[in-house]
Amino acid sequence: DTGVSQDPRHKITKRGQNVTFRCDPISEHNRLYWYRQTLGQGPEFLTYFQNEAQLEKSRLLSDRFSAERPKGSFSTLEIQRTEQGDSAMYLCASSPGGGSNSPLHFGNGTRLTVT
Amino acid sequence: EDQVTQSPEALRLQEGESSSLNCSYTVSGLRGLFWYRQDPGKGPEFLFTLYSAGEEKEKERLKATLTKKESFLHITAPKPEDSATYLCAVPRYNQGGKLIFGQGTELSVKP
């Protein structure tokens, strides 16, 4: 079963450091999404890609955040100069596209702890 | 503003005690409502999509229903393995896969 894969599963970093997360979507899914989830809350949309094009970014995505999806395959999410408020679960999801009715398939996330 | 609200926030049941979870939504032009299950430390796992009022979907002990204002997830004779957080989400109108999630209902089923 080649589901959505995320790496690393856990990341502990010190405030001010840069971190990068990777997501490998389900093959042939052309849409890829990043969400952030804090304890006791539902996931919040950050950004999404249609193939290699980044089509939308949430206001939650400050200038310290950048996401890429080179060649429309895997994606990376980088956070520069991390802050304690960045501590959360970062979830990646993919879908085959075809409109907003396609369910998103999520990976198991990267849990970031900023100390 | 588009919004999704789930209730209750937490629900404790005894094994075999049926109940329902509620998901209320306000969104322009509903284009489906999704239910997900999330286990601790894992990502959400897709359960159902409902597209129109009156529609019902079933999977094992779970049945999801949809009206014009809310959705219910009915759990019949739950087992401890049904313990998880259940999330509902709706797509924001005409904005691709940008889902608006509720805060979830944490279900605990005791043997």
Side-chain angles (χ1 to χ4, degrees):
Chain A
D1 179 11
T2 55
V4 177
S5 177
Q6 293 188 246
D7 184 70
R9 290 296 315 278
H10 304 274
K11 180 70 177 179
I12 301 174
T13 191
K14 292 185 178 180
R15 189 179 55 181
Q17 298 294 304
N18 298 344
V19 294
T20 300
F21 311 140
R22 177 182 170 121
C23 171
D24 288 90
I26 294 172
S27 59
E28 298 172 357
H29 278 190
N30 54 27
R31 287 193 176 181
L32 185 148
Y33 311 82
W34 287 98
Y35 281 76
R36 181 171 69 186
Q37 186 176 27
T38 54
L39 200 61
Q41 300 300 313
E44 294 177 292
F45 171 82
L46 293 178
T47 188
Y48 91 98
F49 294 83
Q50 173 89 20
N51 299 313
E52 67 273 13
Q54 188 173 17
L55 296 186
E56 187 176 349
K57 293 167 60 174
S58 163
R59 290 172 295 176
L60 295 174
L61 219 62
S62 75
D63 291 344
R64 296 184 296 105
F65 288 71
S66 63
E68 295 182 344
R69 191 183 183 196
K71 301 179 183 179
S73 56
F74 70 93
S75 176
T76 58
L77 178 67
E78 180 182 15
I79 309 174
Q80 297 182 326
R81 305 182 302 282
T82 52
E83 302 173 355
Q84 287 187 322
D86 297 332
S87 295
M89 173 81 90
Y90 290 85
L91 293 164
C92 176
S94 68
S95 77
S100 57
N101 293 352
S102 301
L104 274 58
H105 298 269
F106 284 86
N108 283 327
T110 294
R111 179 162 297 283
L112 173 66
T113 302
V114 182
T115 62
Chain B
E1 182 179 338
D2 297 342
Q3 197 169 7
V4 178
T5 304
Q6 293 187 245
S7 63
E9 290 187 5
L11 181 62
R12 287 187 172 84
L13 299 174
Q14 288 295 126
E15 184 172 3
E17 180 186 3
S18 302
S19 188
S20 296
L21 283 55
N22 177 264
C23 171
S24 298
Y25 61 89
T26 54
V27 63
S28 303
L30 182 70
R31 287 173 173 249
L33 183 143
F34 301 94
W35 280 99
Y36 286 85
R37 169 191 170 127
Q38 187 173 27
D39 292 302
K42 300 282 186 69
E45 175 188 351
F46 171 70
L47 292 173
F48 304 110
T49 307
L50 300 167
Y51 292 105
S52 57
E55 187 175 2
E56 299 182 352
K57 293 273 180 75
E58 287 189 63
K59 181 179 180 180
E60 297 181 357
R61 295 174 293 281
L62 300 177
K63 183 169 80 171
T65 61
L66 181 66
T67 72
K68 289 184 178 180
K69 295 290 186 185
E70 57 192 348
S71 177
F72 293 92
L73 186 64
H74 308 277
I75 303 176
T76 302
K79 297 182 177 182
E81 53 261 43
D82 295 322
S83 297
T85 295
Y86 291 86
L87 296 160
C88 70
V90 296
R92 194 182 291 276
Y93 179 72
N94 210 27
Q95 292 192 23
K98 185 176 178 180
L99 295 180
I100 305 166
F101 279 87
Q103 78 278 23
T105 293
E106 185 178 357
L107 174 66
S108 175
V109 182
K110 299 299 183 184

